[in-house]
Amino acid sequence: MPKIVDHDARRREIVRATWRLVARKGIRATTMREIAREAGFANGALSPYFANKDAIVMAAFTHVFETADGRIEVSTRDRRGLDALRRAIFEVLPLDEERRLEARIVVPFWEEALTDGAKRDLHATTGSAWRSRFATHLREAVVDGDLDATLDVNAAADVLFVFAMGTQTQVVLEPERYSAERLEALVDAFVDRLRTER
């Protein structure tokens, strides 16, 4: 009887292997051969799943976004306004080892996106989704009376998004400076400032 192969599980393991290698070596220094070895596959066994390294890198970034988005969905379920906003931002920030690993994938991906239209478009799509989510929770806070009705919701959402993305770079470069507690305090300080701008 032929062995049943879980192709989705294999794709996930290839992506995870890519995460580990990119985190250690960067995108450019990571080869298909090393990805196969890291994932426990024979050389050439990746081709049924990904056409080339570029396709794996795209899948790895997409997986980072989907993973973070899944955390946000769980964390903000049955929440709204400023409570949901804080929770959503915290799920994006590199507050633990798993999310710090995600940051080490995202930062080199951005470098690639500078000269690769497909990667730039993928970043733009994910960024738009998160800015929209932040803006939605800010609007809820306005409706709830927690924020002033004159607040420029889209501008505030942009600031929060830029903060979240900039944090990825800072944590990769200076992990000792940006503890989870410090990052959470910075978010709280920004949200508290929004409250007082009436």
Side-chain angles (χ1 to χ4, degrees):
M1 186 171 177
K3 181 179 178 182
I4 297 174
V5 176
D6 186 337
H7 295 290
D8 289 339
R10 283 199 167 187
R11 285 178 63 87
R12 286 192 298 272
E13 183 47 42
I14 292 167
V15 167
R16 291 293 299 177
T18 304
W19 276 28
R20 294 189 294 270
L21 285 167
V22 170
R24 290 199 305 262
K25 304 179 62 172
I27 292 174
R28 291 179 187 166
T30 297
T31 67
M32 290 285 279
R33 184 183 298 273
E34 289 172 319
I35 293 170
R37 183 168 50 249
E38 183 80 14
F41 300 147
N43 188 38
L46 304 186
S47 57
Y49 304 99
F50 298 99
N52 50 42
K53 187 176 86 172
D54 206 51
I56 300 176
V57 170
M58 291 283 278
F61 180 81
T62 301
H63 186 65
V64 167
F65 170 73
E66 290 175 348
T67 299
D69 218 37
R71 288 195 304 261
I72 292 170
E73 288 292 339
V74 171
S75 182
T76 61
R77 189 171 294 142
D78 301 323
R79 310 275 181 169
R80 61 178 280 122
L82 294 182
D83 182 27
L85 178 68
R86 277 191 172 93
R87 288 168 178 266
I89 296 167
F90 289 161
E91 294 303 339
V92 175
L93 297 182
L95 300 180
D96 57 27
E97 284 308 310
E98 180 73 6
R99 285 174 278 183
R100 285 173 183 250
L101 175 59
E102 290 173 4
R104 292 183 66 86
I105 306 306
V106 169
V107 171
F109 179 89
W110 287 336
E111 181 185 2
E112 299 266 316
L114 290 174
T115 55
D116 184 320
K119 290 187 180 73
R120 193 164 52 250
D121 289 347
L122 179 56
H123 169 73
T125 299
T126 58
S128 178
W130 281 346
R131 282 193 299 272
S132 176
R133 182 184 288 275
F134 295 165
T136 294
H137 295 317
L138 286 164
R139 286 189 196 95
E140 292 169 348
V142 169
V143 169
D144 294 346
D146 292 325
L147 295 177
D148 193 84
T150 62
L151 175 70
D152 186 335
V153 166
N154 290 326
D158 278 340
V159 170
L160 287 167
F161 177 74
V162 169
F163 168 76
M165 296 303 97
T167 297
Q168 309 293 318
T169 304
Q170 290 305 116
V171 167
V172 167
L173 295 176
E174 295 185 88
E176 67 287 344
R177 181 176 171 82
Y178 294 97
S179 66
E181 293 77 17
R182 178 169 171 76
L183 293 177
E184 289 175 358
L186 289 172
V187 172
D188 285 339
F190 178 78
V191 173
D192 287 343
R193 183 174 176 181
L194 290 179
R195 282 180 184 273
T196 62
E197 292 181 353
R198 292 177 180 265

